[in-house]
Amino acid sequence: MHVLAGTASTPLAEKISRELGNAPLGIPFTKRFPDGELYLRVEGDLAGEAAIVVQSTRTDGDLVELLLLEEAVRAAGAGRVVVVIPYFGYARQDRRFLPGEPLSARALCRHIEQDADAVVTVDLHSSETLRHFTKPAFEASGIPALARRLQARPVDLLVSPDRGGIARAQRMGAALGRPWAALEKKRIDSEHVELRFPTAHPPEVRGRNVVLVDDVIATGGTIVEAARLLRHEGARSVAAACTHGLFLRDAFERIKAVTDEVLATDTLVHPAETASVAPDIAAIVRQAIPA
Ligand code: R5P
């Protein structure tokens, strides 16, 4: 079994190769042509081998690299190709909100699975996206990785900033043996939200160590507002934990200013403290490639 690291996911690919018993790690050679197009070459003998391609698709360029990598690995004779997409870009456009829009998530699934035998993702915007793959497709959760990191710390309450994240806060609460709650969120625009405590059974946060749990931190608008609200209500400490740390523009600095700790998994490279999903991905890869 060989692990091939895309440039967007090299540190995570290294950890996955270690988790898979030090499976050989291939770092493809890449360069840019004068017109800006990507040149890529995989080295080493992949004939008949299982190849685990690891590449998040945060940018359009990352996506092109993933498609080239898959094609190269297949052409090099890999017996089985498992594509690991730790952060799956375009997953948020998983519905047609207006006529004429693309179902972006489905469009990507179709192309990505072309040269794959199985696909592994982590905390998709909606698990429904898995249904767009015709090959075996799996979704790991970032929650166990975050919980492993939080285990030794004082945590009294897990809070989801919106009702859509209740299952996440519940799962983290179960992993840490702590209660959970959810705020009510109204999105104003892509950068601003309004948050309030639920009127029925508002959680008691005064004097408690609260961890906000979310799937994605993008502009930081949600977490900054949530942290301010929890502090205003007397929380002793507020930490932010998410699976995908996009931290757009100055989001990380703004969140740091209103929280005691910022934690994100390694599906993306970011400046926050990191919790690794490598063991969780490796477990699924082993399942996708039966011995
Ligand atoms: C929303 O449904 C998600 O769970 C996140 O809360 C959201 O994507 C975070 O975005 P931002 O950091 O831009 O507020």
Side-chain angles (χ1 to χ4, degrees), residues 106-123:
R106 184 171 71 179
L108 263 63
C109 292
R110 283 179 178 162
H111 291 285
I112 287 167
E113 73 169 11
Q114 198 78 31
D115 278 312
D117 294 299
V119 180
V120 181
T121 61
V122 183
D123 280 348

Side-chain angles (χ1 to χ4, degrees), residues 53-69:
V53 174
V54 187
Q55 169 80 332
S56 279
T57 55
R58 175 183 182 148
T59 67
D60 296 357
D62 295 339
L63 177 62
V64 171
E65 181 180 329
L66 173 61
L67 297 178
L68 300 188
L69 200 43

Side-chain angles (χ1 to χ4, degrees), residues 92 125 162 168 185 187 190 214-222:
R92 282 188 268 187
H125 180 64
D162 53 44
R168 219 169 286 126
K185 175 164 107 176
R187 189 161 275 289
S190 56
D214 212 341
D215 55 346
V216 183
I217 296 180
T219 67
T222 301

Side-chain angles (χ1 to χ4, degrees), residues 11-87:
L12 177 55
E14 284 169 2
K15 290 182 207 149
I16 293 172
S17 96
R18 280 202 292 276
E19 289 290 334
L20 291 170
N22 289 323
L25 176 71
I27 303 206
F29 172 78
T30 58
K31 68 171 186 180
R32 292 274 162 196
F33 286 111
D35 61 2
E37 289 182 358
L38 179 67
Y39 170 88
L40 174 154
R41 189 173 69 244
V42 295
E43 282 152 356
D45 185 11
L46 295 178
E49 291 282 339
I52 319 302
V53 174
V54 187
Q55 169 80 332
S56 279
T57 55
R58 175 183 182 148
T59 67
D60 296 357
D62 295 339
L63 177 62
V64 171
E65 181 180 329
L66 173 61
L67 297 178
L68 300 188
L69 200 43
E70 285 184 50
E71 213 278 337
V73 161
R74 186 61 91 191
R80 201 167 165 78
V81 179
V82 177
V83 175
V84 177
I85 313 170
Y87 174 75

Side-chain angles (χ1 to χ4, degrees), residues 13-287:
E14 284 169 2
K15 290 182 207 149
I16 293 172
S17 96
R18 280 202 292 276
E19 289 290 334
L20 291 170
N22 289 323
L25 176 71
I27 303 206
F29 172 78
T30 58
K31 68 171 186 180
R32 292 274 162 196
F33 286 111
D35 61 2
E37 289 182 358
L38 179 67
Y39 170 88
L40 174 154
R41 189 173 69 244
V42 295
E43 282 152 356
D45 185 11
L46 295 178
E49 291 282 339
I52 319 302
V53 174
V54 187
Q55 169 80 332
S56 279
T57 55
R58 175 183 182 148
T59 67
D60 296 357
D62 295 339
L63 177 62
V64 171
E65 181 180 329
L66 173 61
L67 297 178
L68 300 188
L69 200 43
E70 285 184 50
E71 213 278 337
V73 161
R74 186 61 91 191
R80 201 167 165 78
V81 179
V82 177
V83 175
V84 177
I85 313 170
Y87 174 75
F88 192 104
Y90 287 93
R92 282 188 268 187
Q93 180 79 21
D94 61 347
R95 283 191 289 143
R96 254 183 260 282
F97 300 92
L98 291 172
E101 289 180 351
L103 235 174
S104 308
R106 184 171 71 179
L108 263 63
C109 292
R110 283 179 178 162
H111 291 285
I112 287 167
E113 73 169 11
Q114 198 78 31
D115 278 312
D117 294 299
V119 180
V120 181
T121 61
V122 183
D123 280 348
L124 288 162
H125 180 64
S126 159
S127 299
E128 292 290 297
T129 297
L130 292 178
R131 295 202 324 197
H132 298 314
F133 290 110
T134 61
K135 313 267 177 77
F138 307 84
E139 182 185 19
S141 166
I143 295 297
L146 295 167
R148 288 193 289 271
R149 225 52 174 79
L150 289 166
Q151 212 113 42
R153 309 186 191 190
V155 177
D156 299 318
L157 178 69
L158 289 314
V159 172
S160 166
D162 53 44
R163 298 191 58 77
I166 284 180
R168 219 169 286 126
Q170 253 172 347
R171 184 166 177 183
M172 181 85 102
L176 296 172
R178 293 286 181 272
W180 62 272
L183 303 177
E184 285 177 7
K185 175 164 107 176
K186 185 173 156 202
R187 189 161 275 289
I188 310 297
D189 57 35
S190 56
E191 305 207 6
H192 300 95
V193 298
E194 265 174 25
L195 289 172
R196 59 186 180 92
F197 274 55
T199 35
H201 313 297
E204 180 54 61
V205 300
R206 187 159 300 280
R208 301 176 93 181
N209 299 298
V210 182
V211 179
L212 282 161
V213 191
D214 212 341
D215 55 346
V216 183
I217 296 180
T219 67
T222 301
I223 291 295
V224 166
E225 278 312 305
R228 281 195 187 129
L229 180 61
L230 293 167
R231 286 214 182 280
H232 182 260
E233 295 298 320
R236 176 189 292 169
S237 70
V238 180
C242 72
T243 301
H244 306 297
L246 283 168
F247 300 113
L248 305 178
R249 297 184 294 279
D250 61 347
F252 182 67
E253 285 68 34
R254 289 192 297 111
I255 294 169
K256 247 177 64 179
V258 292
T259 57
D260 298 277
E261 190 175 8
V262 192
L263 184 62
T265 76
D266 49 3
T267 58
L268 291 165
V269 175
H270 52 71
E273 199 182 320
T274 300
S276 186
V277 290
D280 313 278
I281 289 177
I284 294 178
V285 166
R286 279 191 216 101
Q287 193 185 325

